[in-house]
Amino acid sequence: MITRAKTAKSSLWGSAALVLGLIASPAIAEDKPATHADKPDASYQASMTTLGALDMEIPGLKPEDPILTPEQFSEGKTIYFERCAGCHGVLRKGATGKPLTTDITRERGYDALNAFITYGSPAGMPNWGSSGQLTEAQVDVMAKYLLLEPPTPPEWGMKDMKESWKVLVEPDKRPTAQENDWDLENLMSVTLRDSGEVALIDGNSYEIRRIIKTGYAVHISRMSKSGRYLFVIGRDGVVNMIDLWMKEPDSVAVIRAGLEARSVETSKFEGFEDKYAIAGSYWPPQYVIMDGNTLEPLKIVSTRGNIYDDQEYHPEPRVASILASHYKPEFIVNVKETGKILMVDYSDLKNLKTTEIEAERFLHDGGLDSTHRYFMVAANARNKIAVVDTKEGKLTAVVDTGGATPHPGRGANFTHPVFGPVWATSHLGDESVALIGTDPEGHPDNAWKIVDTFNALGGGSLFIKTHPKSNHVYVDATLNPEAEISASVAVFNIDGMKADADPEFKTLPIGEWAGIADGQPRVVQPEFNKDGTEVWFSVWNAKDKESAIVVVDDKTLELKTVIKDKRLITPTGKFNVTNTRDDVY
């Protein structure tokens, strides 16, 4: 089917230089100022890769709608979900980016949209066309696509979940004791992003013990409190529950918890160990609590609701990170667009109680302080860290990091020689590292304040990491546009940190040590072994090129070994069983 419509004219639609209230003329865009959004943080948005793959029909058409073939509509939908929805929302109602609903796009017009997509803007829109990331034909399709009503992805409810749910090995058929000789305490679960797998790697011998099929692009691995079950979730919402006690560890249950997802966690509080699992979705906006032994879906809760500050309704608040409290039988559920942190009491699912904490919009990732009492989460588009007291169930502080787009992963806890216990985050948008005091009793003047900031290699950092037994802090720069920087890591000596001088850092050439000649491998996510004596780095290359894992001796900062295997396809996140189970970072 071809939709017939009137071609949009600049005289009808208005100035091509103005769209969404932002100036985007070719002259301005070609002479881009330094603040133009081709920086690393502009390229990092939560793409909806699995929503882009769904078949969706063209919404009801009107005579004035532009002409798009079904193939062009499908291409526009895919591009939008993979490149635009992270900022502008699945339904185009806006998130970190401006709304792109048809009342706005039609007022601005085809020519303005085409120019805006091509050249971007200093305010934050990447120059998709002039950078070569989209062809002229794709820009044309996108400008027309934005003039159509947005397609709405399907919901995913209890019926859908139960139809996807499979118990592959019944609980009574599983081992009663560990049947393999693996050192599970020092096992690494490594995401093989583009092959839809995880690799289980022995932390002692560096041997790949097992490759397990999972959902697409596993986002995180989480451990049950007992250390027996490994839970992984793909961007497609597929949760795999892996029994590490089996002679050959494998999935014993699987479920699709949503159509696009990022987070999974298990219950850790005393008396509820391994009892429940929880998964949160980007679409539909909801979380589901499941049986921790079988993944049977028990309770689905929508996160649609009102934004904490202006009280406006938001139709698609995505569930970001989820952690389990060590102080109460609660899951800490972070809801991006509404800026709310939900303390979900799982002790009685029939009479579910939730404490709703108003924090800050665009909550993303975070972790616990060294005592496990305080939860620190980045509201990264607002350049802030929200702090929650999980014992009292209250907001403690919202801290401006002073840097652009904090992205801590789980963060890094260590004792500063001057400022005492701190939690650290690096940033996507600049090279800064921020330290927040976390000891309200021993160092009350420093608590919940930025006590120090200093620079690392460059912008584009995704993770910062240390270990209680280490004297070093590692900061990657994965998304930095300079190949040498993105393939290196900055290492800071904790003992050498002072109050009145920026600490010096040593640069580790991880990519060079990997010995990969082809492609532009990027180094991502430091992860310690169980004993805190080694740090593992993923050297993440294109899926058709060689990747590797580089292991560094934490004491000497020298190369220890390089793990290479043709099965290591786009390795990204690595999760040590002990550190993940016990929230050690």
Side-chain angles (χ1 to χ4, degrees):
M1 178 185 74
I2 296 179
T3 64
R4 297 191 54 79
K6 185 166 51 179
T7 302
K9 303 291 185 181
S10 60
S11 59
L12 175 65
W13 294 102
S15 170
L18 182 64
V19 61
L20 309 183
L22 301 172
I23 300 299
S25 70
I28 292 176
E30 288 172 354
D31 298 325
K32 295 179 293 186
T35 56
H36 190 275
D38 52 8
K39 290 186 176 181
D41 54 330
S43 66
Y44 179 79
Q45 289 299 335
S47 61
M48 307 289 192
T49 46
T50 55
L51 286 186
L54 293 178
D55 289 330
M56 300 181 199
E57 294 186 359
I58 302 177
L61 297 167
K62 300 176 182 178
E64 66 270 22
D65 287 341
I67 296 173
L68 279 181
T69 66
E71 292 75 21
Q72 289 173 323
F73 176 81
S74 178
E75 181 181 30
K77 168 188 63 67
T78 300
I79 292 172
Y80 179 82
F81 283 122
E82 291 186 354
R83 296 179 182 267
C84 314
C87 270
H88 300 286
V90 170
L91 304 177
R92 305 208 316 241
K93 293 182 180 291
T96 55
K98 299 283 187 179
L100 291 173
T101 48
T102 53
D103 60 319
I104 296 172
T105 59
R106 291 176 181 177
E107 179 183 351
R108 305 308 184 195
Y110 170 85
D111 288 344
L113 291 170
N114 189 296
F116 192 57
I117 296 167
T118 299
Y119 299 106
S121 81
M125 175 73 172
N127 51 324
W128 296 112
S130 63
S131 68
Q133 295 187 67
L134 294 181
T135 65
E136 288 187 19
Q138 288 175 320
V139 171
D140 171 69
V141 165
M142 289 307 300
K144 293 175 180 176
Y145 176 85
L146 293 177
L147 295 171
L148 297 174
E149 294 293 337
T152 302
E155 297 295 317
W156 192 258
M158 184 62 77
K159 179 176 180 294
D160 303 299
M161 288 189 199
K162 286 199 170 180
E163 287 178 352
S164 73
W165 170 51
K166 296 178 182 178
V167 178
L168 305 174
V169 181
E170 294 289 346
D172 61 356
K173 302 295 184 184
R174 298 173 196 168
T176 56
Q178 185 177 338
E179 293 182 341
N180 56 60
D181 61 356
W182 300 12
D183 179 2
L184 298 183
E185 297 283 304
N186 202 28
L187 189 69
M188 292 280 190
S189 173
V190 180
T191 296
L192 305 181
R193 185 188 184 279
D194 292 319
S195 64
E197 297 170 321
V198 292
L200 302 183
I201 303 181
D202 189 309
N204 304 314
S205 67
Y206 314 118
E207 174 189 356
I208 298 177
R209 292 278 195 161
R210 186 97 167 134
I211 302 284
I212 298 175
K213 294 297 294 183
T214 62
Y216 170 70
V218 162
H219 195 65
I220 57 172
S221 298
R222 288 291 181 262
M223 290 303 307
S224 67
K225 181 63 176 177
S226 67
R228 173 177 183 171
Y229 292 113
L230 170 67
F231 295 79
V232 300
I233 188 165
R235 289 189 171 212
D236 54 4
V238 173
V239 179
N240 288 74
M241 178 181 176
I242 299 166
D243 187 353
L244 298 178
W245 281 11
M246 296 169 66
K247 186 175 182 180
E248 292 288 340
D250 210 340
S251 296
V252 293
V254 65
I255 190 172
R256 189 171 192 183
L259 298 177
E260 185 89 33
R262 298 294 186 276
S263 52
V264 68
E265 180 61 294
T266 68
S267 54
K268 292 182 177 178
F269 191 69
E270 184 178 358
F272 294 89
E273 299 93 334
D274 295 20
K275 185 174 179 62
Y276 295 117
I278 182 174
S281 298
Y282 273 19
W283 188 271
Q286 62 191 29
Y287 62 85
V288 56
I289 299 175
M290 302 163 286
D291 185 282
N293 219 21
T294 65
L295 294 184
E296 178 185 3
L298 303 174
K299 186 92 171 181
I300 301 173
V301 181
S302 173
T303 53
R304 291 180 171 104
N306 296 76
I307 301 169
Y308 87 95
D309 50 3
D310 63 17
Q311 297 295 299
E312 292 295 322
Y313 176 77
H314 201 291
E316 50 172 299
R318 295 169 285 180
V319 176
S321 54
I322 301 177
L323 272 78
S325 171
H326 292 251
Y327 280 82
K328 295 180 182 179
E330 291 181 337
F331 291 121
I332 308 165
V333 179
N334 298 281
V335 186
K336 273 183 179 288
E337 281 72 21
T338 56
K340 296 175 180 178
I341 300 171
L342 309 179
M343 311 296 286
V344 180
D345 186 336
Y346 53 74
S347 63
D348 184 356
L349 298 189
K350 286 290 186 181
N351 301 284
L352 192 69
K353 297 176 182 178
T354 301
T355 300
E356 183 179 283
I357 297 174
E358 296 181 351
E360 183 55 278
R361 296 195 206 188
F362 313 122
L363 300 169
H364 191 60
D365 57 347
L368 298 165
D369 80 311
S370 59
T371 70
H372 292 162
R373 174 171 174 173
Y374 296 96
F375 174 62
M376 324 276 285
V377 60
N380 53 15
R382 293 292 177 90
N383 303 330
K384 294 178 180 177
I385 300 292
V387 184
V388 170
D389 184 340
T390 65
K391 182 178 180 180
E392 298 296 330
K394 294 180 179 180
L395 183 71
T396 298
V398 176
V399 184
D400 192 317
T401 67
T405 320
H407 193 285
R410 288 169 285 180
N413 290 300
F414 62 94
T415 300
H416 191 281
V418 178
F419 303 117
V422 297
W423 179 91
T425 181
S426 53
H427 293 79
L428 270 163
D430 62 31
E431 64 271 30
S432 69
V433 174
L435 308 184
I436 299 174
T438 60
D439 184 14
E441 294 184 5
H443 297 77
D445 292 341
N446 297 332
W448 321 127
K449 299 175 184 176
I450 298 291
V451 296
D452 198 12
T453 59
F454 48 83
N455 290 340
L457 278 171
S461 176
L462 291 179
F463 297 99
I464 184 170
K465 188 60 64 75
T466 189
H467 187 278
K469 296 181 181 179
S470 172
N471 192 45
H472 295 119
V473 176
Y474 298 81
V475 185
D476 67 22
T478 311
L479 296 184
N480 195 281
E482 295 187 31
E484 184 177 354
I485 292 178
S486 67
S488 302
V489 169
V491 187
F492 294 87
N493 183 290
I494 295 172
D495 285 345
M497 293 182 177
K498 302 177 182 179
D500 54 356
D502 286 348
E504 295 182 357
F505 61 83
K506 182 175 182 178
T507 301
L508 302 186
I510 302 296
E512 178 183 323
W513 288 348
I516 296 173
D518 194 17
Q520 184 183 338
R522 297 175 181 271
V523 173
V524 64
Q525 206 240 1
E527 176 73 341
F528 278 83
N529 65 346
K530 174 188 67 173
D531 296 327
T533 58
E534 296 176 352
V535 193
W536 293 36
F537 300 90
S538 293
V539 184
W540 171 22
N541 210 349
K543 64 181 177 181
D544 59 343
K545 300 184 185 301
E546 185 180 40
S547 291
I549 293 173
V550 170
V551 182
V552 173
D553 186 295
D554 176 64
K555 185 175 181 179
T556 65
L557 300 183
E558 294 177 353
L559 174 65
K560 195 161 188 179
T561 193
V562 177
I563 304 172
K564 287 187 178 180
D565 191 293
K566 64 181 180 180
R567 295 172 293 173
L568 285 179
I569 300 171
T570 57
T572 52
K574 300 163 299 305
F575 301 88
N576 175 268
V577 165
T578 298
N579 296 338
T580 303
R581 179 193 64 202
D582 298 338
D583 290 307
V584 176
Y585 31 83

PDB file of all heavy atoms in Angstrom, residues 506-533:
ATOM      1  N   LYS A 506      47.554   7.185  35.997  1.00  0.00           N
ATOM      2  CA  LYS A 506      48.346   6.420  35.042  1.00  0.00           C
ATOM      3  C   LYS A 506      47.418   5.911  33.955  1.00  0.00           C
ATOM      4  O   LYS A 506      46.301   5.469  34.253  1.00  0.00           O
ATOM      5  CB  LYS A 506      49.038   5.248  35.739  1.00  0.00           C
ATOM      6  CG  LYS A 506      49.933   4.423  34.812  1.00  0.00           C
ATOM      7  CD  LYS A 506      50.696   3.358  35.577  1.00  0.00           C
ATOM      8  CE  LYS A 506      51.621   2.579  34.641  1.00  0.00           C
ATOM      9  NZ  LYS A 506      52.413   1.555  35.384  1.00  0.00           N
ATOM     10  N   THR A 507      47.855   5.982  32.722  1.00  0.00           N
ATOM     11  CA  THR A 507      47.051   5.507  31.603  1.00  0.00           C
ATOM     12  C   THR A 507      47.470   4.088  31.228  1.00  0.00           C
ATOM     13  O   THR A 507      48.653   3.840  30.947  1.00  0.00           O
ATOM     14  CB  THR A 507      47.208   6.418  30.372  1.00  0.00           C
ATOM     15  OG1 THR A 507      46.804   7.749  30.722  1.00  0.00           O
ATOM     16  CG2 THR A 507      46.344   5.917  29.218  1.00  0.00           C
ATOM     17  N   LEU A 508      46.506   3.182  31.264  1.00  0.00           N
ATOM     18  CA  LEU A 508      46.770   1.797  30.861  1.00  0.00           C
ATOM     19  C   LEU A 508      46.306   1.600  29.425  1.00  0.00           C
ATOM     20  O   LEU A 508      45.118   1.782  29.119  1.00  0.00           O
ATOM     21  CB  LEU A 508      46.042   0.810  31.771  1.00  0.00           C
ATOM     22  CG  LEU A 508      46.353   0.873  33.273  1.00  0.00           C
ATOM     23  CD1 LEU A 508      45.651  -0.281  33.987  1.00  0.00           C
ATOM     24  CD2 LEU A 508      47.847   0.829  33.527  1.00  0.00           C
ATOM     25  N   PRO A 509      47.202   1.203  28.499  1.00  0.00           N
ATOM     26  CA  PRO A 509      46.829   1.009  27.087  1.00  0.00           C
ATOM     27  C   PRO A 509      46.195  -0.365  26.869  1.00  0.00           C
ATOM     28  O   PRO A 509      46.757  -1.245  26.214  1.00  0.00           O
ATOM     29  CB  PRO A 509      48.168   1.138  26.368  1.00  0.00           C
ATOM     30  CG  PRO A 509      49.162   0.588  27.352  1.00  0.00           C
ATOM     31  CD  PRO A 509      48.642   0.969  28.719  1.00  0.00           C
ATOM     32  N   ILE A 510      45.003  -0.535  27.411  1.00  0.00           N
ATOM     33  CA  ILE A 510      44.352  -1.854  27.398  1.00  0.00           C
ATOM     34  C   ILE A 510      44.172  -2.368  25.973  1.00  0.00           C
ATOM     35  O   ILE A 510      44.417  -3.541  25.674  1.00  0.00           O
ATOM     36  CB  ILE A 510      42.989  -1.787  28.114  1.00  0.00           C
ATOM     37  CG1 ILE A 510      43.159  -1.295  29.557  1.00  0.00           C
ATOM     38  CG2 ILE A 510      42.303  -3.150  28.083  1.00  0.00           C
ATOM     39  CD1 ILE A 510      43.953  -2.194  30.435  1.00  0.00           C
ATOM     40  N   GLY A 511      43.720  -1.501  25.064  1.00  0.00           N
ATOM     41  CA  GLY A 511      43.519  -1.921  23.676  1.00  0.00           C
ATOM     42  C   GLY A 511      44.810  -2.377  23.033  1.00  0.00           C
ATOM     43  O   GLY A 511      44.839  -3.383  22.298  1.00  0.00           O
ATOM     44  N   GLU A 512      45.890  -1.659  23.301  1.00  0.00           N
ATOM     45  CA  GLU A 512      47.201  -2.050  22.759  1.00  0.00           C
ATOM     46  C   GLU A 512      47.622  -3.399  23.321  1.00  0.00           C
ATOM     47  O   GLU A 512      48.142  -4.265  22.600  1.00  0.00           O
ATOM     48  CB  GLU A 512      48.222  -0.977  23.114  1.00  0.00           C
ATOM     49  CG  GLU A 512      49.638  -1.258  22.653  1.00  0.00           C
ATOM     50  CD  GLU A 512      50.608  -0.188  23.113  1.00  0.00           C
ATOM     51  OE1 GLU A 512      50.219   1.002  23.129  1.00  0.00           O
ATOM     52  OE2 GLU A 512      51.755  -0.541  23.482  1.00  0.00           O
ATOM     53  N   TRP A 513      47.410  -3.584  24.628  1.00  0.00           N
ATOM     54  CA  TRP A 513      47.763  -4.864  25.234  1.00  0.00           C
ATOM     55  C   TRP A 513      46.958  -6.022  24.646  1.00  0.00           C
ATOM     56  O   TRP A 513      47.434  -7.146  24.611  1.00  0.00           O
ATOM     57  CB  TRP A 513      47.536  -4.797  26.743  1.00  0.00           C
ATOM     58  CG  TRP A 513      48.546  -3.963  27.467  1.00  0.00           C
ATOM     59  CD1 TRP A 513      49.722  -3.478  26.957  1.00  0.00           C
ATOM     60  CD2 TRP A 513      48.484  -3.524  28.823  1.00  0.00           C
ATOM     61  NE1 TRP A 513      50.393  -2.752  27.924  1.00  0.00           N
ATOM     62  CE2 TRP A 513      49.661  -2.767  29.073  1.00  0.00           C
ATOM     63  CE3 TRP A 513      47.569  -3.682  29.853  1.00  0.00           C
ATOM     64  CZ2 TRP A 513      49.928  -2.190  30.309  1.00  0.00           C
ATOM     65  CZ3 TRP A 513      47.831  -3.107  31.090  1.00  0.00           C
ATOM     66  CH2 TRP A 513      48.996  -2.373  31.318  1.00  0.00           C
ATOM     67  N   ALA A 514      45.755  -5.732  24.199  1.00  0.00           N
ATOM     68  CA  ALA A 514      44.922  -6.799  23.623  1.00  0.00           C
ATOM     69  C   ALA A 514      45.480  -7.307  22.309  1.00  0.00           C
ATOM     70  O   ALA A 514      45.196  -8.432  21.892  1.00  0.00           O
ATOM     71  CB  ALA A 514      43.495  -6.300  23.426  1.00  0.00           C
ATOM     72  N   GLY A 515      46.271  -6.477  21.613  1.00  0.00           N
ATOM     73  CA  GLY A 515      46.891  -6.906  20.368  1.00  0.00           C
ATOM     74  C   GLY A 515      45.917  -7.125  19.236  1.00  0.00           C
ATOM     75  O   GLY A 515      46.064  -8.051  18.432  1.00  0.00           O
ATOM     76  N   ILE A 516      44.901  -6.266  19.164  1.00  0.00           N
ATOM     77  CA  ILE A 516      43.905  -6.370  18.096  1.00  0.00           C
ATOM     78  C   ILE A 516      44.206  -5.299  17.053  1.00  0.00           C
ATOM     79  O   ILE A 516      44.175  -4.104  17.346  1.00  0.00           O
ATOM     80  CB  ILE A 516      42.479  -6.193  18.653  1.00  0.00           C
ATOM     81  CG1 ILE A 516      42.163  -7.331  19.627  1.00  0.00           C
ATOM     82  CG2 ILE A 516      41.451  -6.158  17.529  1.00  0.00           C
ATOM     83  CD1 ILE A 516      40.842  -7.168  20.354  1.00  0.00           C
ATOM     84  N   ALA A 517      44.512  -5.737  15.832  1.00  0.00           N
ATOM     85  CA  ALA A 517      44.943  -4.807  14.789  1.00  0.00           C
ATOM     86  C   ALA A 517      43.788  -4.239  13.985  1.00  0.00           C
ATOM     87  O   ALA A 517      43.884  -3.132  13.439  1.00  0.00           O
ATOM     88  CB  ALA A 517      45.925  -5.509  13.851  1.00  0.00           C
ATOM     89  N   ASP A 518      42.677  -4.971  13.908  1.00  0.00           N
ATOM     90  CA  ASP A 518      41.578  -4.592  13.017  1.00  0.00           C
ATOM     91  C   ASP A 518      40.428  -3.975  13.801  1.00  0.00           C
ATOM     92  O   ASP A 518      40.055  -4.460  14.870  1.00  0.00           O
ATOM     93  CB  ASP A 518      41.078  -5.835  12.272  1.00  0.00           C
ATOM     94  CG  ASP A 518      40.182  -5.476  11.097  1.00  0.00           C
ATOM     95  OD1 ASP A 518      40.204  -4.306  10.675  1.00  0.00           O
ATOM     96  OD2 ASP A 518      39.466  -6.372  10.615  1.00  0.00           O
ATOM     97  N   GLY A 519      39.867  -2.876  13.256  1.00  0.00           N
ATOM     98  CA  GLY A 519      38.712  -2.244  13.886  1.00  0.00           C
ATOM     99  C   GLY A 519      39.115  -1.147  14.854  1.00  0.00           C
ATOM    100  O   GLY A 519      40.265  -0.715  14.910  1.00  0.00           O
ATOM    101  N   GLN A 520      38.131  -0.676  15.613  1.00  0.00           N
ATOM    102  CA  GLN A 520      38.390   0.317  16.661  1.00  0.00           C
ATOM    103  C   GLN A 520      37.829  -0.219  17.975  1.00  0.00           C
ATOM    104  O   GLN A 520      36.754   0.170  18.417  1.00  0.00           O
ATOM    105  CB  GLN A 520      37.761   1.665  16.334  1.00  0.00           C
ATOM    106  CG  GLN A 520      38.110   2.738  17.374  1.00  0.00           C
ATOM    107  CD  GLN A 520      37.435   4.072  17.092  1.00  0.00           C
ATOM    108  OE1 GLN A 520      37.044   4.353  15.979  1.00  0.00           O
ATOM    109  NE2 GLN A 520      37.293   4.893  18.132  1.00  0.00           N
ATOM    110  N   PRO A 521      38.557  -1.124  18.617  1.00  0.00           N
ATOM    111  CA  PRO A 521      38.051  -1.703  19.866  1.00  0.00           C
ATOM    112  C   PRO A 521      37.977  -0.660  20.968  1.00  0.00           C
ATOM    113  O   PRO A 521      38.857   0.192  21.094  1.00  0.00           O
ATOM    114  CB  PRO A 521      39.066  -2.795  20.199  1.00  0.00           C
ATOM    115  CG  PRO A 521      40.312  -2.385  19.478  1.00  0.00           C
ATOM    116  CD  PRO A 521      39.870  -1.671  18.242  1.00  0.00           C
ATOM    117  N   ARG A 522      36.923  -0.735  21.762  1.00  0.00           N
ATOM    118  CA  ARG A 522      36.710   0.177  22.883  1.00  0.00           C
ATOM    119  C   ARG A 522      36.779  -0.615  24.189  1.00  0.00           C
ATOM    120  O   ARG A 522      36.262  -1.729  24.267  1.00  0.00           O
ATOM    121  CB  ARG A 522      35.354   0.873  22.757  1.00  0.00           C
ATOM    122  CG  ARG A 522      35.234   1.755  21.521  1.00  0.00           C
ATOM    123  CD  ARG A 522      33.836   2.332  21.379  1.00  0.00           C
ATOM    124  NE  ARG A 522      33.727   3.165  20.179  1.00  0.00           N
ATOM    125  CZ  ARG A 522      34.000   4.462  20.151  1.00  0.00           C
ATOM    126  NH1 ARG A 522      34.382   5.077  21.256  1.00  0.00           N
ATOM    127  NH2 ARG A 522      33.897   5.153  19.038  1.00  0.00           N
ATOM    128  N   VAL A 523      37.392  -0.025  25.184  1.00  0.00           N
ATOM    129  CA  VAL A 523      37.547  -0.699  26.476  1.00  0.00           C
ATOM    130  C   VAL A 523      36.404  -0.289  27.389  1.00  0.00           C
ATOM    131  O   VAL A 523      36.090   0.899  27.522  1.00  0.00           O
ATOM    132  CB  VAL A 523      38.893  -0.336  27.114  1.00  0.00           C
ATOM    133  CG1 VAL A 523      38.995  -0.900  28.521  1.00  0.00           C
ATOM    134  CG2 VAL A 523      40.034  -0.851  26.247  1.00  0.00           C
ATOM    135  N   VAL A 524      35.765  -1.275  28.030  1.00  0.00           N
ATOM    136  CA  VAL A 524      34.585  -0.982  28.828  1.00  0.00           C
ATOM    137  C   VAL A 524      34.530  -1.840  30.081  1.00  0.00           C
ATOM    138  O   VAL A 524      34.960  -2.987  30.091  1.00  0.00           O
ATOM    139  CB  VAL A 524      33.293  -1.184  27.989  1.00  0.00           C
ATOM    140  CG1 VAL A 524      33.119  -2.635  27.565  1.00  0.00           C
ATOM    141  CG2 VAL A 524      32.054  -0.694  28.735  1.00  0.00           C
ATOM    142  N   GLN A 525      34.037  -1.270  31.124  1.00  0.00           N
ATOM    143  CA  GLN A 525      33.626  -1.880  32.389  1.00  0.00           C
ATOM    144  C   GLN A 525      34.690  -2.685  33.117  1.00  0.00           C
ATOM    145  O   GLN A 525      34.795  -3.893  33.000  1.00  0.00           O
ATOM    146  CB  GLN A 525      32.388  -2.767  32.170  1.00  0.00           C
ATOM    147  CG  GLN A 525      31.545  -2.914  33.417  1.00  0.00           C
ATOM    148  CD  GLN A 525      31.398  -4.355  33.891  1.00  0.00           C
ATOM    149  OE1 GLN A 525      31.935  -5.284  33.319  1.00  0.00           O
ATOM    150  NE2 GLN A 525      30.679  -4.526  34.969  1.00  0.00           N
ATOM    151  N   PRO A 526      35.499  -1.989  33.920  1.00  0.00           N
ATOM    152  CA  PRO A 526      36.408  -2.723  34.809  1.00  0.00           C
ATOM    153  C   PRO A 526      35.612  -3.584  35.790  1.00  0.00           C
ATOM    154  O   PRO A 526      34.591  -3.145  36.296  1.00  0.00           O
ATOM    155  CB  PRO A 526      37.148  -1.600  35.557  1.00  0.00           C
ATOM    156  CG  PRO A 526      36.860  -0.337  34.804  1.00  0.00           C
ATOM    157  CD  PRO A 526      35.544  -0.532  34.132  1.00  0.00           C
ATOM    158  N   GLU A 527      36.086  -4.786  36.037  1.00  0.00           N
ATOM    159  CA  GLU A 527      35.452  -5.658  37.031  1.00  0.00           C
ATOM    160  C   GLU A 527      36.537  -6.431  37.763  1.00  0.00           C
ATOM    161  O   GLU A 527      37.417  -7.049  37.135  1.00  0.00           O
ATOM    162  CB  GLU A 527      34.470  -6.624  36.368  1.00  0.00           C
ATOM    163  CG  GLU A 527      33.821  -7.632  37.306  1.00  0.00           C
ATOM    164  CD  GLU A 527      32.768  -7.036  38.242  1.00  0.00           C
ATOM    165  OE1 GLU A 527      32.762  -5.811  38.436  1.00  0.00           O
ATOM    166  OE2 GLU A 527      31.951  -7.800  38.778  1.00  0.00           O
ATOM    167  N   PHE A 528      36.485  -6.401  39.081  1.00  0.00           N
ATOM    168  CA  PHE A 528      37.462  -7.110  39.894  1.00  0.00           C
ATOM    169  C   PHE A 528      37.111  -8.582  40.039  1.00  0.00           C
ATOM    170  O   PHE A 528      35.936  -8.972  39.969  1.00  0.00           O
ATOM    171  CB  PHE A 528      37.546  -6.485  41.291  1.00  0.00           C
ATOM    172  CG  PHE A 528      38.414  -5.263  41.365  1.00  0.00           C
ATOM    173  CD1 PHE A 528      37.926  -4.018  41.012  1.00  0.00           C
ATOM    174  CD2 PHE A 528      39.732  -5.367  41.795  1.00  0.00           C
ATOM    175  CE1 PHE A 528      38.720  -2.894  41.083  1.00  0.00           C
ATOM    176  CE2 PHE A 528      40.541  -4.245  41.875  1.00  0.00           C
ATOM    177  CZ  PHE A 528      40.042  -2.999  41.513  1.00  0.00           C
ATOM    178  N   ASN A 529      38.147  -9.384  40.279  1.00  0.00           N
ATOM    179  CA  ASN A 529      37.905 -10.759  40.671  1.00  0.00           C
ATOM    180  C   ASN A 529      37.488 -10.789  42.137  1.00  0.00           C
ATOM    181  O   ASN A 529      37.416  -9.758  42.813  1.00  0.00           O
ATOM    182  CB  ASN A 529      39.158 -11.619  40.419  1.00  0.00           C
ATOM    183  CG  ASN A 529      40.336 -11.217  41.293  1.00  0.00           C
ATOM    184  OD1 ASN A 529      40.346 -10.141  41.909  1.00  0.00           O
ATOM    185  ND2 ASN A 529      41.345 -12.084  41.366  1.00  0.00           N
ATOM    186  N   LYS A 530      37.214 -11.974  42.639  1.00  0.00           N
ATOM    187  CA  LYS A 530      36.697 -12.127  44.006  1.00  0.00           C
ATOM    188  C   LYS A 530      37.630 -11.527  45.050  1.00  0.00           C
ATOM    189  O   LYS A 530      37.183 -10.859  45.981  1.00  0.00           O
ATOM    190  CB  LYS A 530      36.479 -13.616  44.294  1.00  0.00           C
ATOM    191  CG  LYS A 530      36.072 -13.933  45.719  1.00  0.00           C
ATOM    192  CD  LYS A 530      36.055 -15.434  45.984  1.00  0.00           C
ATOM    193  CE  LYS A 530      37.440 -16.029  45.926  1.00  0.00           C
ATOM    194  NZ  LYS A 530      37.468 -17.457  46.347  1.00  0.00           N
ATOM    195  N   ASP A 531      38.923 -11.725  44.886  1.00  0.00           N
ATOM    196  CA  ASP A 531      39.895 -11.315  45.906  1.00  0.00           C
ATOM    197  C   ASP A 531      40.349  -9.865  45.765  1.00  0.00           C
ATOM    198  O   ASP A 531      41.118  -9.378  46.599  1.00  0.00           O
ATOM    199  CB  ASP A 531      41.119 -12.234  45.858  1.00  0.00           C
ATOM    200  CG  ASP A 531      40.776 -13.672  46.208  1.00  0.00           C
ATOM    201  OD1 ASP A 531      39.864 -13.871  47.043  1.00  0.00           O
ATOM    202  OD2 ASP A 531      41.394 -14.588  45.645  1.00  0.00           O
ATOM    203  N   GLY A 532      39.917  -9.194  44.712  1.00  0.00           N
ATOM    204  CA  GLY A 532      40.335  -7.808  44.513  1.00  0.00           C
ATOM    205  C   GLY A 532      41.779  -7.673  44.077  1.00  0.00           C
ATOM    206  O   GLY A 532      42.383  -6.612  44.246  1.00  0.00           O
ATOM    207  N   THR A 533      42.334  -8.719  43.481  1.00  0.00           N
ATOM    208  CA  THR A 533      43.739  -8.696  43.057  1.00  0.00           C
ATOM    209  C   THR A 533      43.905  -8.469  41.561  1.00  0.00           C
ATOM    210  O   THR A 533      45.010  -8.162  41.101  1.00  0.00           O
ATOM    211  CB  THR A 533      44.438 -10.013  43.419  1.00  0.00           C
ATOM    212  OG1 THR A 533      43.730 -11.110  42.799  1.00  0.00           O
ATOM    213  CG2 THR A 533      44.440 -10.211  44.931  1.00  0.00           C
TER     214      THR A 533
END
